Amino acid sequence: MGVPLFATSLAEHMPRITERLAEVAASGRYILGPEVEAFEGELAARLGARHCVGVANGTDALAIGLRALGVGPGDEVVVPSFTFYATAEAAAAIGARPVFCDIDPGTFCVTAETVERAFTPRTRAIVPVHLFGNVAPVEDLRGLGVPILEDAAQATGATLGARHAGTLGDAAALSFFPSKNLGGLGDGGAVVTDDDEVAERARLLRSHGSHDKQTYTAVGYNSRLDALQAAALRVLLPELEGWNERRRAVADAYAAHGLGEHAALPEPTPAAEHVYHLYVVRHPRPDELASRLAEHGIEARSYYRVPVHRQPAMAPYLSADGPPNLPGTDEAAATNLALPMGPELSAGEVEEVVAACASGST
Ligand SMILES: Cc1ncc(COP(=O)(O)O)c(C=O)c1O
C-alpha cells in the first residue's frame, strides 16, 4: 500500500468520539457552552497557560490574537516568509502590514538576528512560527520590545526548556486542522495567553465584539470553536503527549538508521523538544529524491516552494525596493522535503524510507 506522508489514525478513538458527539448533539448546546469551556480549561492546563479561547480555525486565532495584542491598521508585523501563507495573511487581513524576515534554514525558524533586520520604527508585533513542530527561540526575541504572538499551529505539545510552545510569548495561535498534532474532525483553533486582558479581548472579538449580544464594542468576528469539535478534541487531548513521543521516536529512528548520510536532518532549536508535525530534511535535489521515493511507493512532499514574500497577493506589502533578500528562506524553499512521519509509522517503514533514500544516492 506504500508509506503515507502523514502516518496518523483516529480509528482507535472513533467509538469514544462518536459517543461524545452524540451526547453533544442530544444536548442542544452547539455554540460555546460547557463542552467548549471544558476543552479550553483542559488545554490551558496541559500547556500551563492561564487562558485558552477557542476559535473557528488557526488563521482566525492569528488575526484575533494580533488584534487582542493591540495591533491594528498600518502597524507592521514581522513574520517569517518560510511558513504557511496564513501567518502573513492574518496580519494583512486586520489591516496591518506583514514585513518578511528570514529564517535559519537548519531549524526552519526565525532568530533574533533575522527578526531584528526586519524591524522599523513602525514594528508593533512579531509572529515567530514554530515550523514543522520545532520551537522558535522566542526568549531571544523578548529584548526587541514589541508584543510576540507565537504561531504554534504546527507545534501543539512542543516545549522549549520547561515551557510549552504557546506560552513563551504574549499570546499564541493554535490550529486543530485535522493533520495537526492535535487535529479535530474539521477546522478549529485557539488563542492561548497568560494575560487576562488579552484573553478578554479575544473572547469579545470571537463573538462579534459583544459579551451580551446587546452592546457591540468592537467590529469582531463570528469565530467560535464548535461544541462538537471541542467534544472530539477532549477525547484526543490526552493522547497528544504519547503521539508526540512516538513522533520523536520515529525521528530518532531515522537518524539511527543513517538517514543523515543521504540528507541534512532537521535541527531542533537548542533546549527544544521538537514534535515533528512534519519530518523535513534538506537535499540538494529534493525532486529527484521525491521521485526515487515515489518509485518505492513512499510519499514525500516539498513545502512552501514559493515562499510567502514571493506570493502575488503579498506584492503590495513589499517595500518599493522589491522583495527582501532572504537567503535562508530561499535555501529552505529550494531544498526541503518532508518524509513520512506520524505516531503510526512502523520501524519497518522507517527502514524502508531510509533504504529508498540510500538507493542510487550520490
Ligand atoms: C504555520 C501555520 N499557521 C497558521 C495555520 C492556519 O491554521 P488553520 O488551517 O487552522 O486556519 C496553519 C495551518 O494550516 C499553519 O501551518
Side-chain angles (χ1 to χ4, degrees):
M1 165 52 239
V3 186
L5 185 60
F6 289 93
T8 58
S9 168
L10 297 185
E12 188 191 330
H13 307 287
M14 268 313 161
R16 180 69 186 134
I17 290 174
T18 46
E19 199 182 313
R20 293 294 347 274
L21 294 180
E23 280 170 28
V24 175
S27 79
R29 298 290 303 273
Y30 307 139
I31 304 292
L32 300 179
E35 209 62 51
V36 173
E37 277 167 32
F39 172 67
E40 289 174 338
E42 287 159 12
L43 182 59
R46 193 159 284 263
L47 297 181
R50 273 172 67 80
H51 305 282
C52 169
V53 181
V55 297
N57 53 68
T59 309
D60 283 3
L62 286 164
I64 289 172
L66 283 172
R67 286 187 60 188
L69 289 173
V71 179
D75 291 342
E76 289 187 3
V77 178
V78 176
V79 299
S81 173
F82 192 70
T83 179
F84 180 57
Y85 181 68
T87 313
E89 181 188 35
I94 66 162
R97 177 170 175 230
V99 175
F100 297 99
C101 75
D102 209 359
I103 52 149
D104 171 345
T107 63
F108 295 116
C109 290
V110 303
T111 67
E113 203 202 332
T114 65
V115 170
E116 202 168 0
R117 259 187 263 137
F119 252 59
T120 81
R122 292 172 300 285
T123 304
R124 292 288 174 272
I126 311 166
V127 186
V129 180
H130 303 314
L131 204 71
F132 302 145
N134 196 8
V135 187
V138 176
E139 266 141 38
D140 299 354
L141 310 178
R142 280 261 165 235
L144 295 169
V146 299
I148 298 171
L149 177 71
E150 297 166 69
D151 182 338
Q154 298 188 6
T156 308
T159 54
L160 188 71
R163 293 166 65 189
H164 273 97
T167 67
L168 303 163
D170 297 284
L174 269 61
S175 166
F176 311 121
F177 184 84
S179 66
K180 297 295 194 267
N181 290 45
L182 178 64
L185 305 185
D187 279 313
V191 176
V192 168
T193 184
D194 278 345
D195 186 313
D196 297 352
E197 279 175 30
V198 171
E200 201 45 34
R201 193 151 169 79
R203 283 199 184 94
L204 185 85
L205 288 169
R206 77 174 168 180
S207 287
H208 301 287
S210 177
H211 284 306
D212 59 6
K213 298 189 192 167
Q214 300 290 336
T215 305
Y216 295 83
T217 56
V219 175
Y221 307 85
N222 176 358
S223 183
R224 275 103 35 152
L225 180 69
D226 281 351
L228 286 162
Q229 284 306 334
L233 289 164
R234 289 185 71 197
V235 174
L236 299 174
L237 180 60
E239 307 302 323
L240 178 66
E241 215 169 294
W243 283 336
N244 284 343
E245 269 167 29
R246 296 225 286 279
R247 287 173 181 273
R248 276 194 289 272
V250 169
D252 290 347
Y254 272 138
H257 283 92
L259 181 63
E261 289 163 33
H262 314 292
L265 304 186
E267 294 170 23
T269 298
E273 284 274 21
H274 203 306
V275 290
Y276 298 101
H277 168 58
L278 289 162
Y279 187 84
V280 183
V281 299
R282 284 174 300 139
H283 188 276
R285 296 172 304 282
D287 293 340
E288 237 175 70
L289 180 56
S291 315
R292 203 181 321 141
L293 292 169
E295 281 165 21
H296 291 81
I298 297 165
E299 218 184 329
R301 189 184 305 160
S302 290
Y303 277 78
Y304 320 133
R305 265 291 165 82
V306 179
V308 186
H309 74 288
R310 296 190 197 284
Q311 294 294 343
M314 291 294 124
Y317 301 101
L318 303 181
S319 81
D321 313 334
N325 181 29
L326 305 176
T329 298
D330 289 336
E331 185 190 327
T335 61
N336 86 85
L337 188 70
L339 303 181
M341 169 50 77
E344 308 295 328
L345 204 70
S346 70
E349 287 172 321
V350 168
E351 283 181 44
E352 257 182 73
V353 174
V354 178
C357 287
S359 68
S361 86
T362 48

